[in-house]
Amino acid sequence: MLEVNNVTICYDTAMVLDQASLKVEKGELVGLVGPNGAGKTTLLRAISGLIKWEKDISKGTTGANVTIEGTVEFEGKRIDKMSASEIARRGLVLCPERGRPFPEMTVKENLLAGAHMCKNKAQVKDNFSRVYDLFPRLKEREKQISGTLSGGERQMLCIGRALMHQPKLMLVDEPSSGLAPKLKEDLFKRVEEIYHDLGVTVLLAEQDISFTFDLAKRSYVMSRGHVVAHGTPQELLHDETIRKTYLGL
Ligand SMILES: Nc1ncnc2c1ncn2[C@@H]1O[C@H](COP(=O)(O)OP(=O)(O)O)[C@@H](O)[C@H]1O
Ligand SMILES: [Mg+2]
């Protein structure tokens, strides 16, 4: 379903991704683990079209010169160089790390904003009930201004907003980041439901190895811009070098 081949990204002279490759098949939940700064977010942003794919140097959001190489295929079609909205329209949706809903809008308005590409009203209604079934808390708070939500609720809203796009493949970037253990566990359960009950294929980027290995049958391990290993939790944990050097266990 998703095939990333040799993606290399440099900010000015710093190489942030070095020939990163991975594959996700339809119906899988795949992990992407690695410590802070490994390049997980950069890779997910590049896949979803948020880093401009150009042959030549372009200006990044921070003003750094960005160079990017490699290819990304989604459902057999090249999507690198497509715009982020075109990629989302095809059903590949990013739930960003520490995603920020529009703070002055209500929960419901934010969810509606996630559905802007869907013209079918019945479908939008269906998507709303799916999101509210998954996160009853969002239903309770649908009229609340999003800027006043707690960290956990904001994270639910970001996942909910991504679901309003009716994704085929969802890239979930560190959903548990900054949350208390109980909330964290709860959020991972919801991610599992999105995969298991809603049938959405998931690529989950996480620093939390134990939760990720519980959920994902196989994972890619990233370190300093490289995909250094790949396998089932058993394979990865069995290899002492991988376990000690890259997983820190
Ligand atoms: N816009 C940017 N400009 C320059 N460097 C960046 C930018 N975004 C990310 N980086 C650098 O890329 C590296 C990988 O970051 P990131 O993809 O956020 O890793 P992770 O998500 O695994 O923590 C880090 O060293 C980070 O400082
Ligand atoms: Mg990150």
Side-chain angles (χ1 to χ4, degrees), residues 21-228:
S21 299
L22 59 79
K23 270 188 197 175
V24 179
E25 303 291 348
K26 190 172 185 315
E28 278 193 303
L29 189 162
V30 175
L32 181 65
V33 297
N36 212 355
K40 305 180 295 299
T41 297
T42 306
L43 183 54
L44 297 194
R45 285 173 53 82
I47 295 169
S48 22
L50 291 170
I51 298 174
K52 257 203 160 161
W53 286 83
E54 283 177 9
K55 265 201 185 131
D56 304 318
I57 288 171
S58 65
K59 282 282 177 203
T61 45
T62 55
N65 289 317
V66 184
T67 44
I68 180 160
E69 283 167 23
T71 62
V72 180
E73 276 183 27
F74 178 58
E75 296 190 308
K77 287 207 177 63
R78 288 273 299 268
I79 58 163
D80 48 278
K81 302 184 182 69
M82 279 186 192
S83 70
S85 57
E86 170 63 17
I87 292 170
R89 207 184 54 72
R90 286 167 183 265
L92 194 167
V93 178
L94 172 70
C95 179
E97 183 178 20
R98 284 187 288 275
R100 301 242 169 272
F102 299 114
E104 71 288 357
M105 280 166 40
T106 65
V107 167
K108 190 172 181 183
E109 286 164 348
N110 261 297
L111 289 173
L112 260 179
H116 70 278
M117 280 190 256
C118 184
K119 299 283 173 256
N120 181 335
K121 276 193 178 153
Q123 196 69 65
V124 173
K125 208 170 155 221
D126 262 14
N127 290 343
F128 257 117
S129 53
R130 212 168 296 161
V131 170
Y132 286 156
D133 283 349
L134 198 66
F135 300 114
R137 179 71 72 96
L138 293 182
K139 171 77 182 152
E140 286 163 24
R141 314 225 152 196
E142 68 175 359
K143 295 196 178 72
Q144 186 169 329
I145 298 293
S146 303
T148 61
L149 295 174
S150 71
E153 290 161 353
R154 214 161 45 220
Q155 195 57 42
M156 291 175 201
L157 180 54
C158 285
I159 295 177
R161 199 164 56 171
L163 280 175
M164 294 297 287
H165 279 284
Q166 243 182 298
K168 294 180 192 163
L169 169 64
M170 201 158 138
L171 312 180
V172 189
D173 196 358
E174 299 220 25
S176 74
S177 168
L179 299 185
K182 176 73 191 75
L183 274 175
K184 200 166 164 170
E185 195 183 330
D186 205 57
L187 219 68
F188 276 110
K189 281 207 187 108
R190 299 292 92 78
V191 172
E192 187 167 30
E193 279 177 42
I194 289 168
Y195 157 71
H196 199 267
D197 302 349
L198 304 183
V200 178
T201 304
V202 175
L203 177 61
L204 172 67
E206 254 303 329
Q207 287 190 54
D208 193 310
I209 289 158
S210 83
F211 273 115
T212 307
F213 282 7
D214 271 355
L215 248 60
K217 286 204 182 69
R218 61 186 189 93
S219 291
Y220 291 88
V221 182
M222 285 194 79
S223 171
R224 299 175 184 210
H226 296 262
V227 176
V228 289

Side-chain angles (χ1 to χ4, degrees), residues 237-248:
L237 294 170
H238 196 71
D239 186 316
E240 198 171 314
T241 317
I242 294 172
R243 205 179 62 221
K244 288 195 173 150
T245 316
Y246 300 119
L247 303 178

